[in-house]
Amino acid sequence: MAVNTMEKKLAEYKCDTNEAICLKLVRFPEDVDDDGTTFHPEYSHQIFGDDEVAFGYKGLQIQLFYTAGNLSTLFKVKYSSRVTDTFDCVEPDEVEGKIREIVPAGFTCNTDDFISLLEKEANFKPFGTLLHTYTVHSEDAGELTYQIHKADITCPGFQEYHERLQTFLMWFIETASYIDADDDRWDFFFVFEKYNKDGETLYATVGYMTVYNYYVYPDKTRPRVSQMLILPPFQGEGHGAQLLEAVHRFYCNLPKVQDITAEDPSENYVKLRDYVLVKLCQGLPSFAADKLHLGFSAVMIKEAQDKLKINKKHARRVYEILRLRATDMSDEEKAREYRLEVKKRLFGPYRKNQRELTKMRKCLRPEELVSHMGQMDTQTQHEELEKSYQVVVEDYRRIIERIATQA
């Protein structure tokens, strides 16, 4: 009974680290105490384990506040009580040490010192070369102006800034890892918001993308998107699409670029990429509405590759989306043609399974072959194919709707 009572008391000292970690991008001194400017991680397992729990504290709050532009950092750990104050034999987790492992040196632990750093924000200017400027309408603030810049490691002060920025990856990308920014094959693209403070123009960090340039024999490169993050206060405003489109247009102008890919893309990234590539391709002659019903062609592949650095696989998805937009799905015959066209691509993995099964017949014992054949039941294949088709078309429709709203 005493053990259960002790367990209950100790349970009070467990904290959800996704709630305990308080992130903030600070523009004005009053933002520091404004809970409305606080946001929290989606993930903290890379620092605090799969349970995303810190033990040993009541009312734990881990403050990681950043100045909006330069990302100068305030780091503080606060709590109402600690387990060692009550239970001598139990040690709390080393919360502060875990955070120090990922936050680069140079942060302050003093709130007044941090607020004084806001006065230097006017000196912060975006790194690198301006690629694109765009505006977004806000009901609260009217027209807001954003800039996309390309930078590299040669920019003064960039290395330190990037080290502070990439700390956000740990909280918002599930399998994030830091990169070796010293490698000159990395390109960095940033989104900044321009805003006014006391009559001066300042810049706030919105998000960024890292791209690694791989060598392709004999004289080409293949830029591969490694990381992309729009910070939570700016999500849902279209900045990801603006950034990805600007990056594509930048590489399209480089003759030595073969095509642009992504490393282990998330589902959300694939949807964003589909949207951006459809926007870019819909103006190409080979993707005109009157050509789509003729099927996916070598001309489409070549034009997408030559003009927009889009590879065959991605061009195929663009074709399917544009063909869906151009198809009257209430016409049974046209809908059937479209369905078969998409399923023909989706059936690829099943065809591969059949080829593997043919090879297996030559080397597996009968009981082993039966086991593998059971996994590839034809009826199951058809059902899975139909499910895949419905999911794909649903995603395609969302992209078509989004493009229609932007027209």
Side-chain angles (χ1 to χ4, degrees):
M1 198 72 179
V3 173
N4 289 338
T5 303
M6 177 67 80
E7 286 179 352
K8 286 180 180 178
K9 287 182 178 179
L10 290 176
E12 295 175 3
Y13 288 86
K14 289 184 177 180
C15 298
D16 179 340
T17 48
N18 287 336
E19 287 297 317
I21 297 166
C22 297
L23 305 168
K24 199 182 289 275
L25 294 169
V26 179
R27 303 187 187 196
F28 307 98
E30 54 268 29
D31 292 343
V32 171
D33 295 319
D34 180 2
D35 290 340
T37 63
T38 301
F39 55 99
H40 301 277
E42 289 183 27
Y43 311 102
S44 55
H45 62 89
Q46 296 209 81
I47 312 303
F48 293 101
D50 291 342
D51 291 339
E52 298 182 322
V53 166
F55 170 75
Y57 306 88
K58 279 186 180 180
L60 179 64
Q61 189 179 93
I62 302 167
Q63 294 181 342
L64 279 169
F65 297 173
Y66 299 79
T67 59
N70 193 48
L71 303 180
S72 301
T73 311
L74 170 69
F75 169 42
K76 293 179 77 170
V77 176
K78 302 167 71 175
Y79 49 85
S80 57
S81 66
R82 200 166 63 146
V83 72
T84 48
D85 301 333
T86 309
F87 306 98
D88 294 333
C89 59
V90 184
E91 288 294 321
D93 290 343
E94 182 49 61
V95 169
E96 188 168 326
K98 291 177 183 291
I99 299 293
R100 282 177 180 267
E101 289 178 7
I102 66 159
V103 177
F107 58 82
T108 180
C109 297
N110 183 284
T111 303
D112 290 337
D113 290 345
F114 175 73
I115 289 174
S116 70
L117 292 172
L118 292 174
E119 298 172 7
K120 300 179 181 179
E121 282 288 276
N123 299 326
F124 173 78
K125 299 292 183 260
F127 297 97
T129 307
L130 175 64
L131 295 183
H132 179 55
T133 300
Y134 62 98
T135 59
V136 173
H137 180 74
S138 164
E139 291 186 8
D140 297 329
E143 291 293 317
L144 298 175
T145 300
Y146 297 87
Q147 294 183 347
I148 296 175
H149 288 246
K150 177 189 175 291
D152 57 45
I153 59 173
T154 63
C155 300
F158 169 76
Q159 189 101 359
E160 295 78 11
Y161 167 82
H162 175 259
E163 286 178 1
R164 295 189 292 272
L165 176 58
Q166 69 176 348
T167 60
F168 286 101
L169 295 177
M170 291 297 169
W171 313 126
F172 297 103
I173 296 181
E174 191 169 7
T175 56
S177 59
Y178 288 170
I179 65 172
D180 177 15
D182 286 329
D183 189 334
D184 61 7
R185 285 183 173 270
W186 284 108
D187 288 334
F188 301 86
F189 300 87
F190 299 93
V191 185
F192 297 98
E193 179 194 331
K194 290 177 69 174
Y195 69 99
N196 292 312
K197 180 182 178 183
D198 300 329
E200 292 186 286
T201 298
L202 279 73
Y203 295 86
T205 301
V206 172
Y208 81 122
M209 177 189 288
T210 59
V211 180
Y212 194 79
N213 292 284
Y214 284 89
Y215 168 72
V216 178
Y217 181 84
D219 62 350
K220 298 283 188 181
T221 61
R222 173 173 286 125
R224 180 183 292 175
V225 176
S226 175
Q227 302 155 328
M228 180 179 179
L229 176 65
I230 301 299
L231 296 173
F234 303 97
Q235 290 176 4
E237 298 175 354
H239 301 296
Q242 290 280 356
L243 176 57
L244 188 55
E245 184 173 345
V247 169
H248 257 275
R249 291 191 183 280
F250 169 78
Y251 287 119
C252 286
N253 293 322
L254 302 181
K256 288 202 173 285
V257 169
Q258 178 158 304
D259 53 31
I260 305 162
T261 63
E263 179 184 342
D264 192 21
S266 67
E267 186 177 325
N268 286 337
Y269 179 85
V270 170
K271 291 174 182 177
L272 179 66
R273 180 176 62 196
D274 284 343
Y275 166 72
V276 169
L277 297 190
V278 167
K279 273 187 69 182
L280 292 171
C281 284
Q282 62 184 351
L284 297 179
S286 63
F287 286 87
D290 60 345
K291 305 273 181 54
L292 296 169
H293 73 284
L294 300 174
F296 187 53
S297 68
V299 178
M300 291 176 180
I301 296 169
K302 188 173 189 313
E303 189 171 27
Q305 178 97 44
D306 292 349
K307 294 184 178 178
L308 297 173
K309 313 297 186 182
I310 298 172
N311 63 31
K312 179 180 177 181
K313 178 181 176 181
H314 299 161
R316 169 75 195 206
R317 288 178 67 88
V318 169
Y319 152 75
E320 290 176 3
I321 295 167
L322 289 174
R323 179 162 176 178
L324 177 62
R325 187 174 72 172
T327 299
D328 179 3
M329 295 299 280
S330 65
D331 183 315
E332 192 172 318
E333 183 57 31
K334 290 179 179 177
R336 178 178 174 278
E337 289 176 1
Y338 178 79
R339 187 169 63 252
L340 291 175
E341 183 75 358
V342 174
K343 284 188 175 182
K344 184 168 65 177
R345 174 181 65 80
L346 295 175
F347 192 66
Y350 297 103
R351 272 202 302 266
K352 182 181 177 184
N353 281 343
Q354 293 301 328
R355 289 196 297 271
E356 290 176 351
L357 185 58
T358 301
K359 293 177 185 176
M360 287 177 189
R361 286 195 175 98
K362 299 175 183 178
C363 58
L364 292 183
R365 295 194 302 273
E367 61 271 19
E368 292 174 324
L369 187 60
V370 169
S371 171
H372 282 278
M373 289 178 71
Q375 295 172 23
M376 302 177 189
D377 172 71
T378 303
Q379 179 63 30
T380 303
Q381 286 184 12
H382 284 304
E383 290 173 0
E384 290 301 315
L385 194 60
E386 179 61 24
K387 284 181 191 174
S388 298
Y389 169 77
Q390 294 297 338
V391 169
V392 164
V393 169
E394 188 177 334
D395 287 342
Y396 287 177
R397 289 191 192 282
R398 288 197 195 99
I399 292 165
I400 292 167
E401 288 169 7
R402 183 176 177 183
I403 287 175
T405 62
Q406 302 296 320

